[in-house]
Amino acid sequence: MLIALQIENFALVDQLDLELGTGLNVLTGETGAGKSIILDALDAALGGKVSSRAIRTGAERALIEATFDLNPSLIAWLSEQQIELVDDMSLVCSREVIAGRGNVRSRSRVNGVLVNKQQMESLRDRLLEITAQGQTMQLGQPNLQREWLDGFGGVKLMRQREVVAAAYQAMQQALQALEKRRQFEQQRLQQLDLFEYQAKELIAANLTEADELEQLEQERQRLSHSVELQQQSYRVYQALYQNDHGAFACADLLGAAESLLIEMMRYDPQLQAVLDMVTDALAQVEEAGRQINMYGESLETDPERLQSVEERIVQLKQICRKYGPTLAEAIAYSQQVQRELEQLSGGGLSLETLEQNYEEAQAKLDQACAKLTELRQATARQLEALLVKELKPLAMDKVQFKVDISPCPPTATGADRISFLFSPNPGEPLQPLAETASGGEMSRFLLALKACFSQVDAVGTMVFDEVDVGVSGRVAQAIAEKLHQLSQQHQVLCVTHQPIIAAMADSHFRVDKQVIDPAGTKKRGKAKAAAEANGKEAPDVRTVVRVALLGPQERREELAQIAGGKSDQEAIAFADSLLTQAANARSTAREPTHAPAKIAAKSKATTKTRAVSS
């Protein structure tokens, strides 16, 4: 349960330390007194939305701390999140809101450890449930009605919803894959035809070596000039080795030089080096002559080979223009085309396989949805019986209620359309809740619904913000008794304008606002006189929110004020009768021992009121 709530610089609150007890805690006060600010702060501490207006004017940051009692479930959650227990075995949820340029930043902590939004939402569901103003307007929304029904169904139903959500996601993925394949099937076939044509052409070209074109160019040059090469090779042979025209060949001249040098060596051995060079030159010239002769003899005119080479060169150049520009790049593209063909023709799933996958995923989703529908139908019967039972004490003896479950296309939440049907009057047919119930009936329906949830939900604290809107008299008394009944199993915090409900409280707090001068009375008097002389309002005026835990006499006066608008004797007598009636109602129920509630000042001094300014 909620032990304490500390608020600093939040909205109109400067500083507030509020301690709560078990049972029914009630906040009363005039409209606009600041009651909802306390609930807003509690909501913010547990991860609720905040804006820049949440920070008190003149302050740069706001801080809210909510302290709760621990239970085994919360201890297990802290262990899962690796958050240590504090010394006093409590759980402290804090939210720091910092003003920025045009926006706000905030940080949430649990026992001093920073937590993210998902962690805080998970923890919030274990700590409390806030029923805020305007929530009755949401009762007619089918989506919320489905969520309420499923929540009432408990763990088994919610797990089946997870199965449905997973099956729906798998079905969507299969459908997307199928639609994508269908969408691009024509393009795929066109691309497949193109690649097949290109692959056929490239395979026919038999591309193997990247330098084949250069080799063929050289061969074509040789074949097209074979006669010239024969003639020129013969002339080289004559010049080097044997001249048929009577002139000396190079070999002849070198042979003569070699003979002369040998003669000269008889007289001067120093010419040995020159002789060696001439001898070597003669050997090389003779070898060159033999090789050029062989080259010339090997040359033949081959028109067929020349034509074949030229045709191959034309083919390769055409391939290079289409797939190149170089032969190496054309070979690389040929390999890429083969890979693309494999992917388009046999590398992926066929259209028939994708259709089969989609049908199987759809069948699994239908099966999961059918099981979810069965669980919802069983849960609906339980909720119908229990809700009617909870509504009857709320001056709705003849009420009829039914959860209508009709089929709809499958979604991630199932294949059911949920509608709450309601008839408050005998003889009237069941109609959708939003079209039939009045404002007061909506309030009672919401309270009864929360009472049903409280029987299956382990949440420790239930918060109601003016759940009594639109009711009075006997109905208000019935709501008061229902709130007291809930407070036997849960801590209840309620904002109300009904004296009958306030009289039933175990702890009664009054919230009001006053305009004060933080600078002090003496200074305030001088400032006021000076301001009034100039026709202006006195400076340094701030609004103060006061929260007071009421004692017996103060409760009488507050109830009289709520009931009659003034504290005269008749109103006081009516307040006494309300308190007596509430005491009698409580005595008929088995009550736990409630811890006293109080407002704790920062100084730890004993006091009944706490002033907070903005």
Side-chain angles (χ1 to χ4, degrees):
M1 76 170 192
L2 178 63
I3 301 173
L5 180 65
Q6 296 178 331
I7 308 172
E8 180 182 336
N9 293 331
F10 183 84
L12 295 179
V13 176
D14 179 13
Q15 190 170 349
L16 173 66
D17 293 350
L18 177 64
E19 294 188 2
L20 301 167
T22 58
L24 179 58
N25 296 263
V26 168
L27 300 175
T28 60
E30 297 293 337
T31 300
K35 302 182 296 297
S36 293
I37 292 177
I38 297 174
L39 302 190
D40 290 343
L42 178 58
D43 179 61
L46 299 178
K49 292 183 178 180
V50 294
S51 65
S52 57
R53 290 181 295 180
I55 301 176
R56 177 175 172 268
T57 302
E60 296 181 353
R61 61 187 285 275
L63 180 63
I64 311 101
E65 287 188 357
T67 304
F68 294 85
D69 266 338
L70 282 177
N71 57 41
S73 174
L74 294 176
I75 293 175
W77 185 89
L78 290 173
S79 177
E80 290 174 3
Q81 306 301 319
Q82 298 181 348
I83 299 176
E84 295 183 0
L85 299 174
V86 295
D87 293 339
D88 59 357
M89 295 298 290
S90 62
L91 186 147
V92 180
C93 299
S94 64
R95 180 85 172 275
E96 182 182 23
V97 185
I98 304 170
R101 294 183 178 180
N103 58 7
V104 294
R105 296 179 291 109
S106 68
R107 291 191 289 261
S108 294
R109 290 183 171 86
V110 175
N111 286 356
V113 178
L114 282 171
V115 294
N116 57 37
K117 183 178 180 180
Q118 290 74 22
Q119 289 174 301
M120 185 55 73
E121 288 178 351
S122 172
L123 178 59
R124 178 192 180 107
D125 293 339
R126 291 169 166 80
L127 292 175
L128 59 74
E129 180 179 359
I130 297 179
T131 303
Q133 294 185 44
Q135 197 168 357
T136 55
M137 302 299 294
Q138 302 173 349
L139 282 174
Q141 297 180 10
N143 290 342
L144 282 178
Q145 292 176 356
R146 181 187 62 238
E147 294 302 319
W148 284 327
L149 176 65
D150 292 350
F152 185 74
V155 175
K156 185 176 181 180
L157 194 150
M158 294 305 293
R159 284 179 178 171
Q160 185 59 30
R161 262 190 57 161
E162 294 175 358
V163 173
V164 169
Y168 181 78
Q169 183 178 6
M171 186 274 292
Q172 286 292 316
Q173 292 174 348
L175 178 60
Q176 290 173 5
L178 176 59
E179 290 179 343
K180 184 177 179 180
R181 187 59 177 268
R182 286 172 175 171
Q183 180 180 358
F184 292 105
E185 183 65 15
Q186 184 177 4
Q187 297 178 8
R188 185 190 72 85
L189 292 175
Q190 293 174 351
Q191 194 70 24
L192 185 61
D193 288 342
L194 175 61
F195 284 149
E196 285 178 346
Y197 170 80
Q198 291 178 342
K200 183 178 180 181
E201 185 177 28
L202 290 167
I203 290 173
N206 191 25
L207 305 178
T208 56
E209 298 180 6
D211 60 347
E212 182 184 4
L213 187 58
E214 288 79 3
Q215 294 175 2
L216 290 172
E217 291 282 4
Q218 294 174 6
E219 186 177 1
R220 182 178 66 174
Q221 290 291 331
R222 184 173 66 254
L223 290 172
S224 60
H225 297 84
S226 60
V227 175
E228 296 177 19
L229 289 173
Q230 282 179 339
Q231 294 174 352
Q232 292 172 351
S233 65
Y234 184 68
R235 291 170 60 186
V236 171
Y237 174 72
Q238 287 184 320
L240 289 176
Y241 195 76
Q242 184 176 354
N243 196 322
D244 295 338
H245 301 289
F248 288 105
C250 183
D252 294 335
L253 295 174
L254 287 173
E258 181 184 34
S259 298
L260 290 173
L261 285 170
I262 292 174
E263 288 293 330
M264 293 172 67
M265 279 286 296
R266 294 169 59 190
Y267 307 105
D268 189 356
Q270 295 182 6
L271 294 175
Q272 182 64 50
V274 177
L275 176 60
D276 292 341
M277 287 188 287
V278 172
T279 301
D280 291 341
L282 176 59
Q284 292 180 1
V285 167
E286 290 175 344
E287 179 62 26
R290 284 192 295 271
Q291 290 189 13
I292 195 64
N293 184 52
M294 293 172 58
Y295 170 75
E297 291 177 351
S298 66
L299 287 174
E300 296 180 1
T301 57
D302 190 348
E304 293 182 359
R305 175 57 183 169
L306 177 60
Q307 182 180 358
S308 175
V309 169
E310 289 180 340
E311 290 175 354
R312 179 63 172 170
I313 289 174
V314 171
Q315 181 187 25
L316 293 180
K317 285 187 174 181
Q318 185 178 7
I319 291 293
C320 288
R321 283 194 297 270
K322 294 177 66 174
Y323 308 112
T326 67
L327 191 58
E329 290 172 324
I331 293 174
Y333 184 76
S334 176
Q335 297 170 349
Q336 179 184 345
V337 166
Q338 294 298 327
R339 291 192 296 268
E340 293 287 349
L341 277 174
E342 291 177 2
Q343 182 175 359
L344 288 173
S345 58
L349 296 176
S350 66
L351 185 62
E352 293 75 12
T353 301
L354 292 174
E355 289 176 344
Q356 183 179 355
N357 290 347
Y358 169 65
E359 291 173 358
E360 292 176 355
Q362 196 171 33
K364 289 181 180 179
L365 175 61
D366 292 340
Q367 183 179 3
C369 286
K371 185 174 181 180
L372 180 59
T373 299
E374 292 179 2
L375 292 173
R376 281 175 171 163
Q377 290 171 343
T379 300
R381 291 191 291 269
Q382 297 175 6
L383 181 60
E384 289 166 356
L386 185 57
L387 188 59
V388 169
K389 179 181 177 182
E390 293 291 341
L391 283 170
K392 285 185 176 181
L394 297 176
M396 301 181 76
D397 297 338
K398 306 299 183 181
V399 67
Q400 299 179 66
F401 171 69
K402 178 177 176 58
V403 180
D404 182 65
I405 302 177
S406 58
C408 69
T411 67
T413 57
D416 304 313
R417 183 179 291 106
I418 308 297
S419 179
F420 285 1
L421 303 182
F422 180 75
S423 175
N425 303 309
E428 294 298 321
L430 289 164
Q431 298 289 338
L433 180 65
E435 300 175 8
T436 306
S438 65
E441 289 168 344
M442 280 287 201
S443 296
R444 283 177 280 171
F445 186 92
L446 181 60
L447 179 58
L449 191 64
K450 297 298 183 179
C452 292
F453 291 158
S454 71
Q455 300 184 32
V456 297
D457 194 353
V459 67
T461 301
M462 303 182 70
V463 180
F464 295 95
D465 187 4
E466 298 190 16
V467 72
D468 52 13
V469 171
V471 301
S472 60
R474 187 168 64 92
V475 175
Q477 179 62 44
I479 291 177
E481 292 174 358
K482 179 60 66 177
L483 289 172
H484 179 260
Q485 177 186 343
L486 288 174
S487 71
Q488 303 308 295
Q489 301 297 328
H490 305 267
Q491 180 191 44
V492 177
L493 178 60
C494 178
V495 172
T496 182
H497 290 285
Q498 291 286 348
I500 296 176
I501 294 176
M504 192 67 75
D506 296 293
S507 301
H508 187 169
F509 299 91
R510 180 177 61 222
V511 183
D512 59 10
K513 291 190 296 189
Q514 290 185 5
V515 178
I516 67 167
D517 175 19
T521 305
K522 189 178 221 180
K523 185 176 179 182
R524 167 70 176 165
K526 294 180 180 179
K528 180 178 180 181
E532 289 176 349
N534 296 321
K536 299 179 180 178
E537 186 180 356
D540 298 328
V541 173
R542 301 304 299 269
T543 299
V544 176
V545 175
R546 293 185 182 275
V547 181
L549 173 63
L550 303 182
Q553 180 59 31
E554 294 166 323
R555 288 194 72 189
R556 295 175 66 214
E557 295 175 358
E558 177 69 5
L559 293 175
Q561 184 71 21
I562 297 174
K566 56 183 179 178
S567 298
D568 55 14
Q569 292 302 318
E570 292 182 0
I572 289 292
F574 179 65
D576 287 338
S577 68
L578 290 179
L579 291 170
T580 301
Q581 182 180 349
N584 292 334
R586 285 198 301 270
S587 65
T588 60
R590 195 167 125 193
E591 297 181 21
T593 302
H594 297 301
K598 63 181 179 179
I599 300 294
K602 277 284 187 182
S603 63
K604 304 301 181 182
T606 302
T607 179
K608 288 185 178 179
T609 62
R610 176 68 176 170
V612 291
S613 65
S614 70

